[in-house]
Every structure is written in C-alpha cells, then in structure tokens.
Amino acid sequence: RAKEQKRSSWMRFDSRMLEQVKERLKLERLIRDGLERHEFIPYFQPRFDVQTGEIVGAEALVRWIREDGSVGNPAEFIPVAEETGLVRDLGEQVLIDSCKQMHAWHEMGYSYLTISVNISAVQFTEDLYTTVRSVIEESGINPEKLELEITETIMMKNLDKTAQILRELAQLGVKIVIDDFGTGYSSLYYLKIFPIDILKIDRTFIDGIPEDENDGNIVSAILSMAKQMKLHVVAEGVETDEQLVFLQHHQCEEAQGFLFSKPVAADDFIVMLGDEMVV
Ligand code: C2E
Ligand code: MG
Ligand code: MG
Ligand code: MG
C-alpha cells in the first residue's frame, strides 16, 4: 500500500513538472516571436532632482506590448529570457530604443536628460562593450548621458573580468550605476576597485522611512558615505511626501518612485516634460 501511494504521488509530481516544462517552452517561444515582432518596448520612469523637483532623467523599464494590446511586466518574462539567453537580444533592443528615444528628447531641447538602462548578468560579458559602443555610434547620443544599471551580483562573479569590462565601458564615457544597492552582497571593496558613478538605494530601505529607524539610519549612512566618495545617489521607490522630505534633509540628489510617476510610455513621458516647461 505504501508503495502504491509513493508511486502515485511521484506520478503527480512528474506530470506537474511536465506541465511546467511545457509552459516554460511555450513562454520561450512566445518571447522569441515577441522579439521578432519588436514587442519589448521600454517604458520610462522619471527621475527627479530631490531639491528642485525637476525631471532630470528616466529609467528605461521594459514592457511586453502584446498583439492583443496587453502589457506584460518584467517579472513575467525576464527570468525565462535570462535562462534561455534571449535577454541578450531583448536587452539590446531596449538599449537601442532607449538611446534613440533619448536622442529625440535631446533634439527637442531637453539636452540635460539622462537615461538609465538595466543590464542583466547574462548580458555582462566582453560583448557588452562592443554592443554599447555600436549603439552609441548608431544612435548618435552623448555617451555621458547614458547610464548602465548593474547589480552587486554581477560584480562579485569575477573581479578581474568585471573590472576590465567596467573600465572599458567607462572609457566610452557612459556612467555605471549600482542598482538595488544594499540588497546584494554589498562590499565597499567594489566601490574601491570599480569605476562606479552612481548608487541607487534599493526601495526596501526607502520603504520604512520615516517609521523604521533602521531604514532611516541605513539611508543616511549610504548618503554620507556617497558624499565623501563623490558618488551620485538615486533613491528608488519613493512613495510618500515624508520619504521625500527625509531625502531632502539628507541631501540625496535624485529620486524616483510612484510619488512622482509610475513608468510610462514615451508619449506620456513627453507630456510630463512639456508640463514642466509651462511651470
Ligand atoms: P529595478 O531596475 O530595480 O526597477 C525598479 C522597479 O521598481 C520597477 O519595476 C519599477 O516599476 C518599480 N518601482 C518604481 N517606483 C516604485 C515605487 O514607488 N513603488 C514600488 N512598489 N515599485 C516601484 P518593474 O518595471 O516591474 O521592473 C522590475 C525589475 O525588472 C527591474 O528592477 C529590473 O531588475 C528588471 N528590468 C526591468 N526592465 C529591464 C530591462 O530592460 N532589462 C533587464 N535586464 N531587466 C529589466
Ligand atoms: Mg534598475
Ligand atoms: Mg532597482
Ligand atoms: Mg531590481
């Protein structure tokens, strides 16, 4: 009897696994088709100067705009895109579109705007330099206005290789951002050996401000360290006025979050910029 039970539960497990494999293969095929149809489009979330409230740039956040008009979020497809390596093509499309978009904004007179693009660990190879260089050339952007967001997980993989890739990218003039700062294997050593320009404080630390004393202390410590090291800081996930006031008091340079705006399509971003000119 025990044997029978074991066998049937194993079979249930097996068929569920088979279902999962099928689902994953289906998603992989859909992503592949979506890439061919250019359905992966960057949305833009404004980044604001904390002191003046002006839009200073945007983070490009990919959305999957399917044929039926439905919009997919990164959590639904980035993991599979990473496992299958499709994130390389996806990331390149997002980088190209983002640079073209920034170029258009610069041409319209908003030449101060910067754009930051997320780089997956899978994309972080020697090829990245070649890709970024050709995208800069083809889009005609000012490389100083392009920021590449990488995470601490990327950096800890191979220190020498990472240092080399980052130095090459820095020589192109692009800025390097540590995304989700404080959540990975944060090592101050990285700040010492890598050419980092910007720290993006993870929203889990912004979340508890002002109630959670630990969050407040961590954020103010990051800000004062960054000031000493002449690193620029962006606070991510700012949702309340209290959080903004805290960041103003602690001289954080930039913020982004739902308090200002969620990520929006390029056309809506332009409307926000336009509103600003009127003010
Ligand atoms: P991330 O780079 O840390 O991006 C910030 C995420 O926080 C975005 O989620 C954004 O919509 C969300 N967010 C912004 N402000 C707030 C806020 O005030 N409250 C809350 N609760 N959330 C806020 P999204 O767009 O779903 O992206 C999730 C993650 O997917 C990104 O995290 C990034 O790691 C990845 N991702 C997005 N676009 C790309 C891409 O083009 N390439 C790669 N490789 N990864 C991407
Ligand atoms: Mg990011
Ligand atoms: Mg982040
Ligand atoms: Mg993240």
Side-chain angles (χ1 to χ4, degrees), residues 5-271:
Q5 219 164 14
K6 205 172 171 190
R7 186 178 149 81
S8 68
S9 70
W10 182 83
M11 280 176 69
R12 263 203 307 279
F13 178 59
D14 190 45
S15 67
R16 203 185 62 217
M17 265 186 48
L18 190 65
E19 265 328 293
Q20 280 175 358
V21 171
K22 277 195 199 156
E23 278 298 311
R24 198 182 153 288
L25 284 172
K26 188 178 158 203
L27 182 55
E28 178 181 348
R29 201 175 55 244
L30 288 173
I31 294 173
R32 225 176 264 284
D33 293 348
L35 281 168
E36 246 161 61
R37 286 197 293 263
H38 209 121
E39 292 178 352
F40 295 93
I41 305 291
Y43 269 36
F44 300 96
Q45 185 175 36
R47 302 197 330 238
F48 284 80
D49 182 313
V50 166
Q51 308 304 335
T52 67
E54 278 159 20
I55 298 177
V56 291
E59 176 174 13
L61 293 156
V62 68
R63 295 293 180 267
W64 187 354
I65 315 294
R66 302 190 192 86
E67 271 181 317
D68 63 4
S70 64
V71 179
N73 285 318
E76 299 162 30
F77 56 86
I78 290 284
V80 170
E82 286 187 326
E83 283 165 35
T84 53
L86 290 170
V87 78
R88 275 189 291 269
D89 283 347
L90 190 153
E92 191 172 336
Q93 283 190 10
V94 170
L95 183 66
I96 292 170
D97 286 355
S98 301
C99 289
K100 281 185 184 162
Q101 190 57 69
M102 178 167 72
H103 190 255
W105 291 333
H106 287 181
E107 296 273 279
M108 290 169 72
Y110 304 100
S111 57
Y112 54 89
L113 288 180
T114 60
I115 210 160
S116 60
V117 180
N118 292 283
I119 303 295
S120 161
V122 179
Q123 284 173 279
F124 198 81
T125 64
E126 285 93 344
D127 295 347
L128 184 63
Y129 169 79
T130 321
T131 305
V132 171
R133 196 186 57 188
S134 70
V135 172
I136 290 170
E137 279 167 12
E138 278 159 38
S139 61
I141 58 151
N142 173 2
E144 307 265 328
K145 298 291 183 194
L146 175 62
E147 301 172 353
L148 302 178
E149 298 197 0
I150 62 171
T151 58
E152 291 158 324
T153 327
I154 289 182
M155 293 184 285
M156 55 185 276
K157 274 202 297 192
N158 179 333
L159 294 185
D160 290 340
K161 185 149 277 172
T162 302
Q164 193 199 329
I165 296 172
L166 289 179
R167 270 197 300 270
E168 284 178 352
L169 289 169
Q171 273 162 19
L172 288 174
V174 303
K175 302 277 192 296
I176 308 296
V177 184
I178 304 186
D179 198 0
D180 306 338
F181 185 74
T183 57
Y185 289 84
S186 305
S187 168
L188 300 180
Y189 185 61
Y190 298 152
L191 300 181
K192 175 180 144 92
I193 60 166
F194 297 144
I196 306 297
D197 302 288
I198 300 164
L199 300 183
K200 217 166 188 185
I201 304 179
D202 192 73
R203 71 164 184 268
T204 52
F205 300 116
I206 305 300
D207 211 40
I209 294 173
E211 303 84 16
D212 188 324
E213 229 174 90
N214 285 337
D215 281 356
N217 288 335
I218 290 168
V219 171
S220 69
I222 293 174
L223 283 165
S224 60
M225 177 196 67
K227 190 181 270 322
Q228 296 291 317
M229 297 186 72
K230 300 195 164 49
L231 293 163
H232 191 89
V233 180
V234 183
E236 162 176 281
V238 177
E239 294 183 353
T240 69
D241 285 325
E242 288 92 337
Q243 290 165 351
L244 180 61
V245 167
F246 181 95
L247 295 168
Q248 281 167 341
H249 283 158
H250 290 83
Q251 272 98 49
C252 181
E253 280 100 359
E254 269 184 54
Q256 75 182 74
F258 295 166
L259 177 65
F260 313 107
S261 168
K262 59 185 187 355
V264 296
D267 287 349
D268 295 323
F269 190 83
I270 261 303
V271 174

